[in-house]
Structure formats: structure tokens, C-alpha cells
Amino acid sequence: MRKNKTITTEDILLKLCQSVSTVLSSATNENVTYSAMVQKISKTSLKPDFGCFVLFDGGFSGLVVINFTAKAAMELYSSYMINMGIPEEELAVLHTSDEVGDVLGELMNQLVGDFTNKVRKELQTNITQNQPKMLALNKQVNLSVDTNLDRPQARRVTFSTQNNNIFYLELAMDKTEFIQLEEFEVQEDESPDAILEEARQKMSADKSDVNQDNDQDSNSDLLDELGI
């Protein structure tokens, strides 16, 4: 008898860590990594110098918190803006600038969006997220999930930027398990570059067909003029 595959809280946390690493690495064009060890914690909290958080709900409920040091926040912000083509002299110089908060909020929105997409495809369930909130802090602020969790669990994972600046991801959610009853195929996301390339090839092929038809029409007209 086939043994059913079980997805635990740690497996869901791993998917979230992969989304954080992938999205931030792609957005900043730098290598953002996470620790292979996960820490059990009793509660989630926003910590100095910069805290971001987002709530999600649906198939399961939870809270994602990312706490940046000032150096980590500025490195990710600067790398992202430079990767977008913004001159270095036009960048903000303080982590408390609104622009830094806006960029980190947008990055968090992207990475949680990537995570919810993974959950939808790989766990066959749906979760929704609210708009991420960002705060520049000089004191610790404790957070709890605004929902009824029967068996709340909290985890912390350490991340490192390319310049070895540290930031921390915290996840709070109800203890849950997903048990796979039947085999299914996980749909792969279609690459935007692949879509554009396919469109270019189609346009090129259509243009080639039009030119070929025009050449054939020209040859037919010439033969008609010669009475052949």
C-alpha cells in the first residue's frame, strides 16, 4: 500500500524561505541565503532597526515577520534600486527614509505572493495576504495573529545578504499537516522571457510567410505578363 506524503509546518516554512531567497536574490541581483537550522520561538515580534509584517488567511492562517538591521535594509534597498537602473547618487542614505520602506514593502509583497503561489500549486489550497506593513523601530514590538489558532507555532530563520548582513524571518501559524491522497502534477510557471521569445518567433514566422506570399504573387504576375 502506498504511503501518503505528509507536509508539515517545517515544510511550509521551507517553501517560504525559498520564496524569500529567490525573490530577493532576483530583485537585487545578489546572493541572499538562509540558514539550514530553524529556531523554535514562543512569539513573533518586530525588532529594530526595521520590521515588516504581513498576515495571510485561507487554507491556513498565519503571520510573516521580517526584521532587518539598518545595514541589511540599506543593502537590499540599494542593490534593488541600482539593479533597476537608478543612479547611486540618487539613493536614500537613511534606513528611516520613506523610500526604503516603500521598496522593502514591495519586495515583501513579491516574496509573499511567490509563497502563496507555491501553496496554491503544491498544497492544492489557497491563502490570501493583506498589504505588508513596514516600521522603522528603536524598540521591540510583540505581534500576535489576529485569529483563533488552536495550536500556534512560531519559527525563526536567519538570512544573510551577499555582504554578510543579517536579517531574520519569523513565521507564526497553526500547527497543521497536509496529507497527499493522490498523485498530481505541479504546474510550472511560464517564464516571461519564454513568452516574449515565443511571441517574437511567431511574429518573425508570420512576417516570413507574408514575404513568401508576396514573392509568389510577384512571380505569378510576371508569368502572366509573359503569357506563360
Side-chain angles (χ1 to χ4, degrees):
M1 182 177 178
R2 181 177 66 85
K3 184 178 180 181
N4 293 330
K5 181 180 178 182
T6 301
I7 304 296
T8 65
T9 303
E10 276 64 38
D11 296 316
I12 295 173
L13 175 61
L14 177 59
K15 296 180 190 301
L16 177 59
C17 289
Q18 290 170 343
S19 290
V20 174
S21 177
T22 301
V23 170
L24 292 184
S25 295
S26 176
T28 62
N29 198 28
E30 292 188 352
N31 191 27
V32 177
T33 59
Y34 55 89
S35 169
M37 299 296 291
V38 58
Q39 181 182 1
K40 286 187 177 183
I41 55 178
S42 59
K43 57 189 175 182
T44 55
S45 58
L46 292 171
K47 298 184 180 69
D49 296 299
F50 203 98
C52 302
F53 69 95
V54 61
L55 288 163
F56 57 84
D57 202 2
F60 55 91
S61 300
L63 168 70
V64 177
V65 175
I66 302 183
N67 291 311
F68 299 96
T69 62
K71 288 184 178 179
M74 289 305 297
E75 181 187 346
L76 293 172
Y77 156 76
S78 300
S79 298
Y80 172 76
M81 296 297 280
I82 291 171
N83 195 36
M84 293 291 288
I86 306 300
E88 190 171 352
E89 58 271 15
E90 295 182 12
L91 303 183
V93 294
L94 296 174
H95 75 279
T96 52
S97 300
D98 290 341
E99 189 177 338
V100 177
D102 291 341
V103 166
L104 293 180
E106 172 58 28
L107 291 174
M108 189 157 187
N109 197 41
Q110 291 179 25
L111 65 88
V112 177
D114 186 80
F115 169 64
T116 58
N117 189 42
K118 277 190 173 70
V119 167
R120 177 179 57 81
K121 293 190 302 179
E122 299 177 20
L123 300 183
Q124 301 282 288
T125 191
N126 187 63
I127 58 174
T128 57
Q129 68 188 74
N130 72 345
Q131 190 66 25
K133 304 294 189 296
M134 298 72 62
L135 294 170
L137 301 164
N138 54 20
K139 292 182 180 180
Q140 179 171 316
V141 179
N142 292 331
L143 291 177
S144 61
V145 185
D146 186 20
T147 187
N148 294 322
L149 298 184
D150 296 327
R151 295 177 296 169
Q153 293 186 312
R155 303 284 187 269
R156 179 188 292 134
V157 179
T158 303
F159 280 75
S160 300
T161 67
Q162 187 161 293
N163 292 336
N164 294 319
N165 289 312
I166 304 298
F167 63 94
Y168 299 93
L169 167 74
E170 295 183 4
L171 169 68
M173 61 176 288
D174 206 356
K175 183 177 182 180
T176 187
E177 289 185 349
F178 286 84
I179 302 170
Q180 182 177 332
L181 300 178
E182 295 183 352
E183 295 290 338
F184 62 89
E185 289 187 6
V186 177
Q187 288 185 331
E188 293 185 6
D189 288 333
E190 200 165 3
S191 168
D193 293 336
I195 295 173
L196 288 172
E197 183 59 30
E198 184 179 347
R200 289 193 195 99
Q201 290 178 357
K202 186 176 185 303
M203 289 177 63
S204 180
D206 290 343
K207 187 175 180 180
S208 178
D209 290 341
V210 169
N211 290 337
Q212 188 173 1
D213 290 340
N214 290 337
D215 290 342
Q216 289 176 351
D217 291 341
S218 298
N219 291 336
S220 296
D221 293 342
L222 179 59
L223 292 174
D224 289 339
E225 289 177 8
L226 296 175
I228 299 176

